[in-house]
Amino acid sequence: MLRPSSTLSAISLLLLGSLSGKALAGQVLTTSGFSTCLESADITVQKLDITYDNDAKTVKFDVAGTSAKSMNVTAVMNVTAYGKQVYQNSFNPCDSDTFVSELCPVPVGTFSATGTQEIPASYASMIPSIAFSIPDIAAQATLQLKALDTGTDIACITSQVTNGKTVSVPAVSYVAAGVAGAALLVTGFSAIGAAANGGSTGGTGTASPSFGETMGWFQGIAMNGMMSVNYPEVYRSFTKNFGFSTGVIPWTAMQTSIDNFRSKTGGNLTEDSVQFLKNATLVFGDGSNKASKRTYEAILLIRDSISTNVNSSTTASSSNSTVQTTVNGIKAYVEKLSVPQANTFMTVLLIAAVVVAAIVVGILLFKVILETWALFGSFPKGLIGFRKHYWGTMARSIVNLILVLYGVWVLYCIFQFTHGDSWAAKALAGVTLALFTGVLAFFTFKIWQAAKRLKAMEGDASGLYDNKDFWIKYSLFYDCYKKDFWWLFIPTIIYMFAKGCVLAAADGHGLTQTVAQLIIECLMLGLLIWNRPYERRSGNVINIFIQVVRALSVVCILVFVEELGIAQTTQTITGVVLVAVQSALTAILAILIAANAIIMCCKENPHRKRRKELEKLRDLDNLTPLDARNSLLMDPTKIPNHTIYENDPKHPLVQQQTPDSFMNEPGNPYSNATPLRSFTPSSQRGYTPTPRPYTPQMHRPQHSLESEELLLRSQSPPRQPTLPNLQNYREYRGAGY
């Protein structure tokens, strides 16, 4: 079986120190599936199940197949672990120590051999105990049958060896889904508050990690597992835990319905259906386009049930059949989750439809509850806004969902175009991809148009944050960025689109996928480091760190590329490091989400705080002496003389202004008047006063009792107004006096 090896021990200790697996009862090693490694063999093996029980020190075997002729054979067993040969032994089934009656000799026709053999203590002691504890052990057993007289190969089969422990456990998926749900609650808390207050709070998604960032991280891990490279089994199993973030969720009833839909719209269910996968044994491989001789050759083996006995006079049963097909990349990832490759897009589409329906029903249900509440009493004032603007909340939530799923949606739509077989599914993929892209393009255009208008009127685009209408409509795209970097959501959308395109279009070409993904990740990392666009310092640190891990993960995936020929031990160690780093970052994100939940209760969104202060300043500018708030009675010493902008950078004036610098401004009512002139003493002006024309006595009536009486009645006395004669007043200069 296995023998101690320094390389195996080092890897095993590293695995045990960083991973925890799911254990079966007892210390057991068993084969998982098999494939033929010799074409045109005289003996065809159709069934192979071997189990070693370390507690009982026994080996149980169940072998069945067909033979073209009767012959004596020699069996050779080879066991490799992490690419290293750790055990080799040959035996003759006719020897007394290793006698197997069903194989001595191998009969003509159909044969089967089952039984249990005890393993001597000398062989059992060669198996290190750590081999029963390593999750997703990378071991493989190969059985060769050679003719006893000539030594020629007459049969060869290979099978994976597993100990029943794996890092692919439902608990990991549940915990990851819980972390994403917590991020959704924290991020959506402010959105709910915005709806409750009629949108007055805008968005408060500036705290990192947000729901979108958390889901983006989980989707990145899942997409790393979809590349067409030779993954170690431990990393392949780890990435499987995050398939839910991309919409790939096992659901047998739904898969059956999709199969029926495909069968009616041009689909082929012969080798691509959920029923096919139920009876299949998956052995994942290197992702190369050619058949590889390496131990991780990708074979999908399906077999009918075998119930045969030794019978030298009969031939092989025609009911036994085997079908082999190579799987790698996206197909290998989704089929390990029990989703046929042709069903992938429809699965994601139906899951997305369920989520959208849940959003709509949830919001409408809350609306009905409020209306019922209003009939029997008064509900909190803060919920009045949601009652009026619930449609806006619903639309905002759906657009946010589109933004979160856009990258994987591009991936699955292109994969459907290139690998799908149903014309209806392809049509749905085209329509939904165009719809999602159109929605994001529409909002991008509207935000760009608003920013351009604001820059023309105010000199910058800060109105996107300060104007309540803009904030309510568009803030979900840029609320986490600084005012000068509102545009960063555009390269983010392009980044998601490029990742999905490269992964789907280059499926089956691992080196091309990895190099292209590395370029994309490095460009995004450079953009974040150069601009540091997030409003909060914590947002910059977290997102740059996430992007660094993404880029380094792709660098590590280069080790798995078949064309580079990296040793399997190196690949396994690299896979363990990837699992450890990505698991640690996931745990850190969970802790930060919990911290954000506390911070959000104590700290206000900075954009909202600035906008509210601006509204208060504008409100104070509109006060009058007769204002109902008695503002004139306010104590000036109690009015705060500082604002949130006091910490903003101060820039010196470029040019000092002169007293008449603003004389020609369009807003100056005296812009057309003569400019100010220097003061001239009256003694130097040559001023000659012009006497006022004499007013006759007849125009200046004496005060009478009638006039006094009119004054007492608050009426003006009867008199004729006169105008001064300014015809000869030469010194009048408009605004000059």
Side-chain angles (χ1 to χ4, degrees):
M1 302 294 286
L2 297 174
R3 67 183 180 187
S5 169
S6 58
T7 303
L8 176 61
S9 300
I11 298 174
S12 302
L13 289 174
L14 182 59
L15 280 165
L16 288 178
S18 59
L19 300 175
S20 60
K22 179 182 179 182
L24 296 177
Q27 294 182 324
V28 176
L29 296 176
T30 183
T31 57
S32 176
F34 68 93
S35 60
T36 301
C37 49
L38 179 65
E39 297 181 359
S40 302
D42 293 332
I43 298 177
T44 303
V45 178
Q46 297 171 322
K47 183 178 182 181
L48 175 65
D49 292 319
I50 301 175
T51 301
Y52 170 72
D53 189 340
N54 190 53
D55 295 330
K57 301 295 187 297
T58 59
V59 171
K60 295 180 180 180
F61 60 91
D62 185 0
V63 182
T66 59
S67 175
K69 59 182 179 179
S70 177
M71 66 188 77
N72 292 320
V73 297
T74 299
V76 179
M77 176 69 73
N78 289 285
V79 179
T80 60
Y82 303 103
K84 301 292 183 178
Q85 182 175 334
V86 295
Y87 174 75
Q88 183 178 16
N89 187 30
S90 61
F91 64 94
N92 187 344
C94 296
D95 289 346
S96 59
D97 295 337
T98 56
F99 181 74
V100 181
S101 60
E102 293 86 348
L103 300 179
C104 181
V106 175
V108 177
T110 303
F111 67 90
S112 66
T114 59
T116 302
Q117 286 190 344
E118 293 185 0
I119 300 299
S122 58
Y123 286 100
S125 62
M126 297 172 58
I127 306 172
S129 59
I130 203 170
F132 301 96
S133 304
I134 303 173
D136 298 297
I137 182 174
Q140 188 172 30
T142 302
L143 177 64
Q144 293 176 289
L145 298 180
K146 297 184 178 183
L148 184 61
D149 51 355
T150 63
T152 58
D153 292 335
I154 57 176
C156 179
I157 54 176
T158 180
S159 176
Q160 300 294 321
V161 177
T162 177
N163 56 13
K165 298 176 176 64
T166 177
V167 295
S168 176
V169 292
V172 177
S173 299
Y174 297 151
V175 171
V179 172
L184 176 62
L185 291 177
V186 173
T187 305
F189 179 78
S190 58
I192 296 174
N197 292 280
S200 62
T201 60
T204 57
T206 56
S208 293
S210 64
F211 173 70
E213 293 164 352
T214 304
M215 287 294 292
W217 168 245
F218 291 162
Q219 290 171 357
I221 297 177
M223 294 170 75
N224 284 345
M226 296 181 185
M227 295 186 185
S228 302
V229 297
N230 185 24
Y231 292 107
E233 186 62 24
V234 62
Y235 186 67
R236 188 188 302 276
S237 299
F238 175 75
T239 59
K240 174 187 172 183
N241 296 320
F242 300 91
F244 74 92
S245 64
T246 64
V248 181
I249 299 176
W251 189 351
T252 303
M254 183 173 66
Q255 296 305 319
T256 302
S257 300
I258 295 175
D259 285 341
N260 296 334
F261 173 79
R262 286 175 46 225
S263 65
K264 297 177 181 178
T265 55
N268 184 3
L269 306 184
T270 304
E271 298 181 3
D272 200 352
S273 66
V274 66
Q275 189 63 36
F276 181 88
L277 290 179
K278 280 183 179 181
N279 300 322
T281 301
L282 295 177
V283 181
F284 299 94
D286 55 15
S288 61
N289 291 331
K290 297 180 180 179
S292 174
K293 293 183 179 180
R294 297 186 57 159
T295 59
Y296 275 80
E297 180 176 359
I299 300 296
L300 177 63
L301 176 63
I302 180 172
R303 59 193 180 274
D304 294 340
S305 60
I306 300 175
S307 178
T308 57
N309 296 317
V310 176
N311 185 353
S312 60
S313 63
T314 61
T315 58
S317 173
S318 60
S319 63
N320 296 333
S321 62
T322 59
V323 178
Q324 297 180 351
T325 180
T326 303
V327 294
N328 56 74
I330 301 174
K331 179 179 180 180
Y333 185 86
V334 298
E335 290 191 349
K336 189 170 184 179
L337 291 168
S338 301
V339 177
Q341 68 156 355
N343 291 10
T344 305
F345 169 74
M346 291 300 300
T347 300
V348 178
L349 177 63
L350 292 178
I351 294 297
V354 170
V355 175
V356 171
I359 292 173
V360 173
V361 172
I363 292 177
L364 292 179
L365 180 61
F366 191 56
K367 166 69 172 176
V368 171
I369 293 174
L370 289 183
E371 294 297 336
T372 306
W373 193 349
L375 294 177
F376 297 97
S378 59
F379 51 82
K381 186 177 180 180
L383 297 177
I384 296 177
F386 174 83
R387 186 182 179 187
K388 296 180 179 179
H389 303 282
Y390 68 98
W391 285 111
T393 303
M394 186 184 303
R396 184 186 182 93
S397 301
I398 295 175
V399 172
N400 203 0
L401 178 65
I402 292 175
L403 186 62
V404 169
L405 294 179
Y406 186 65
V408 296
W409 203 269
V410 172
L411 165 67
Y412 290 135
C413 286
I414 296 179
F415 185 73
Q416 178 65 34
F417 296 151
T418 56
H419 293 78
D421 56 4
S422 169
W423 60 264
K426 290 183 179 180
L428 288 173
V431 171
T432 54
L433 180 60
L435 178 63
F436 283 19
T437 304
V439 169
L440 296 181
F442 169 78
F443 278 97
T444 300
F445 173 75
K446 296 296 290 184
I447 295 172
W448 174 82
Q449 190 179 48
K452 183 179 179 181
R453 188 184 311 116
L454 289 170
K455 286 182 178 179
M457 297 175 58
E458 303 177 5
D460 56 28
S462 60
L464 292 174
Y465 297 80
D466 300 333
N467 186 289
K468 184 187 298 185
D469 292 336
F470 288 148
W471 179 261
I472 295 173
K473 292 179 181 178
Y474 310 130
S475 64
L476 67 93
F477 289 91
Y478 56 78
D479 62 352
C480 58
Y481 303 126
K482 297 176 183 177
K483 290 184 177 181
D484 293 336
F485 298 101
W486 59 267
W487 48 267
L488 201 76
F489 75 93
I490 300 177
T492 301
I493 294 175
I494 297 174
Y495 162 79
M496 294 187 292
F497 180 84
K499 284 188 65 176
C501 279
V502 167
L503 193 58
D507 185 49
H509 306 276
L511 183 60
T512 302
Q513 285 179 323
T514 309
V515 173
Q517 292 280 27
L518 182 59
I519 294 174
I520 294 171
E521 299 292 356
C522 289
L523 288 176
M524 191 64 184
L525 176 61
L527 182 65
L528 294 181
I529 294 177
W530 180 262
N531 294 306
R532 294 187 295 278
Y534 290 88
E535 175 66 25
R536 296 180 178 177
R537 182 178 300 176
S538 61
N540 286 314
V541 173
I542 293 171
N543 284 276
I544 290 176
F545 183 68
I546 290 175
Q547 194 60 34
V548 168
V549 175
R550 284 175 176 167
L552 292 179
S553 298
V554 179
V555 173
C556 292
I557 291 175
L558 275 173
V559 177
F560 308 147
V561 175
E562 177 72 14
E563 290 85 345
L564 301 182
I566 306 297
Q568 194 173 10
T569 52
T570 304
Q571 292 180 344
T572 303
I573 295 174
T574 304
V576 172
V577 172
L578 272 177
V579 172
V581 172
Q582 293 179 346
S583 299
L585 182 54
T586 301
I588 292 173
L589 292 179
I591 295 173
L592 291 175
I593 290 170
N596 285 337
I598 300 174
I599 294 174
M600 287 185 62
C601 299
C602 309
K603 190 173 182 179
E604 190 177 13
N605 179 280
H607 296 312
R608 178 175 178 263
K609 187 175 182 180
R610 292 178 181 178
R611 189 180 70 251
K612 289 295 184 181
E613 184 170 326
L614 284 176
E615 292 176 355
K616 290 180 180 178
L617 292 176
R618 296 191 192 103
D619 195 33
L620 289 174
D621 291 341
N622 295 332
L623 294 180
T624 64
L626 300 180
D627 193 274
R629 289 165 288 181
N630 298 323
S631 60
L632 296 180
L633 302 179
M634 295 173 60
D635 187 358
T637 61
K638 296 182 179 180
I639 300 177
N641 57 1
H642 63 278
T643 67
I644 193 66
Y645 302 100
E646 64 182 2
N647 296 323
D648 289 353
K650 305 300 189 299
H651 302 286
L653 294 175
V654 178
Q655 178 180 0
Q656 297 294 334
Q657 305 294 337
T658 60
D660 57 350
S661 298
F662 302 98
M663 180 58 65
N664 296 323
E665 291 292 333
N668 187 4
Y670 303 105
S671 59
N672 297 323
T674 303
L676 294 175
R677 63 181 182 179
S678 59
F679 175 75
T680 304
S682 58
S683 59
Q684 301 178 10
R685 295 180 187 175
Y687 168 72
T688 303
T690 302
R692 185 169 64 86
Y694 174 74
T695 303
Q697 186 68 24
M698 59 181 295
H699 294 289
R700 300 171 62 187
Q702 298 292 334
H703 292 289
S704 60
L705 295 176
E706 181 181 0
S707 298
E708 295 178 0
E709 185 175 356
L710 291 174
L711 288 174
L712 293 175
R713 297 176 182 174
S714 301
Q715 299 179 6
S716 300
R719 58 177 296 182
Q720 297 181 3
T722 59
L723 296 175
N725 184 6
L726 302 178
Q727 182 177 1
N728 297 323
Y729 189 70
R730 294 171 298 176
E731 298 299 325
Y732 180 75
R733 290 290 185 180
Y737 66 95

